């Protein structure tokens, strides 16, 4: 069993930055691929970014590429999402997820999910 706890969300003005963290329990964090997803109000959950076990491969959604950066620290069992130049359309609940399998952008491939952290971007 893996537990994921997100933190770092909040209210920020457009153009601002936030850094989300996702802390994972367990001693095998380095064997998981990790992903960030988000669910805007009234919309379906969507993929944001993912990272391979070593951190060497990092696919992004087109809408965040160039503004968001995913990274991980396997010694700290933590994955991060640095979000810069935030826009009102980035407002959503952001959730991290862990996958025992290969790197994927599909939510249904992920095995464990956190509870999420709210990000609100004002215009």
């Amino acid at each position: 069993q893996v537990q994921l706890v997100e933190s770092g969300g909040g209210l920020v003005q457009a153009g601002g930055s936030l850094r989300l963290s996702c802390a994972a329990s367990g001693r095998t964090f380095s064997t998981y691929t990790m992903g960030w997803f988000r669910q805007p109000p009234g919309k379906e959950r969507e993929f944001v970014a993912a990272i391979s076990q070593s951190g060497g491969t990092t696919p992004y959604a087109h809408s965040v590429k160039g503004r968001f950066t995913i990274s991980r620290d396997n010694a700290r069992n933590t994955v991060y999402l640095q979000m810069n130049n935030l826009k009102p359309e980035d407002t959503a609940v952001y959730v991290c997820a862990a996958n025992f399998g290969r790197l994927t952008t599909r939510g249904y491939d992920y095995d464990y999910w956190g509870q999420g952290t709210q990000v609100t971007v004002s215009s």
Side-chain angles (χ1 to χ4, degrees), residues 19-81:
R19 187 195 196 200
L20 305 183
S21 299
C22 173
S25 65
R27 294 177 291 178
T28 58
F29 177 75
S30 62
T31 66
Y32 314 147
T33 59
M34 299 295 295
W36 283 99
F37 293 78
R38 68 186 182 186
Q39 186 162 16
K43 296 184 178 180
E44 296 290 317
R45 183 180 66 197
E46 61 187 30
F47 168 76
V48 176
I51 188 165
S52 60
Q53 290 91 335
S54 67
T57 304
T58 54
Y60 293 91
H62 178 74
S63 60
V64 307
K65 200 167 187 178
R67 300 187 297 122
F68 290 11
T69 302
I70 189 171
S71 62
R72 67 190 295 162
D73 184 340
N74 287 341
R76 296 179 183 270
N77 283 13
T78 303
V79 62
Y80 305 97
L81 186 69

Side-chain angles (χ1 to χ4, degrees), residues 3 5-6 10 24 27 36 52-53 69 73 82 84 91 96 99 106-107 116:
Q3 291 186 327
V5 180
E6 301 94 339
R27 294 177 291 178
W36 283 99
S52 60
Q53 290 91 335
T69 302
D73 184 340
Q82 177 68 42
N84 297 329
T91 294
C96 72
N99 171 34
R106 301 180 303 190

Side-chain angles (χ1 to χ4, degrees), residues 74-113:
N74 287 341
R76 296 179 183 270
N77 283 13
T78 303
V79 62
Y80 305 97
L81 186 69
Q82 177 68 42
M83 305 186 295
N84 297 329
N85 190 23
L86 282 159
K87 304 176 181 180
E89 52 263 42
D90 295 318
T91 294
V93 175
Y94 284 72
V95 186
C96 72
N99 171 34
F100 286 117
R102 62 183 178 87
L103 188 63
T104 177
T105 63
R106 301 180 303 190
Y108 56 78
D109 286 330
Y110 284 79
D111 302 294
Y112 298 100
W113 295 82

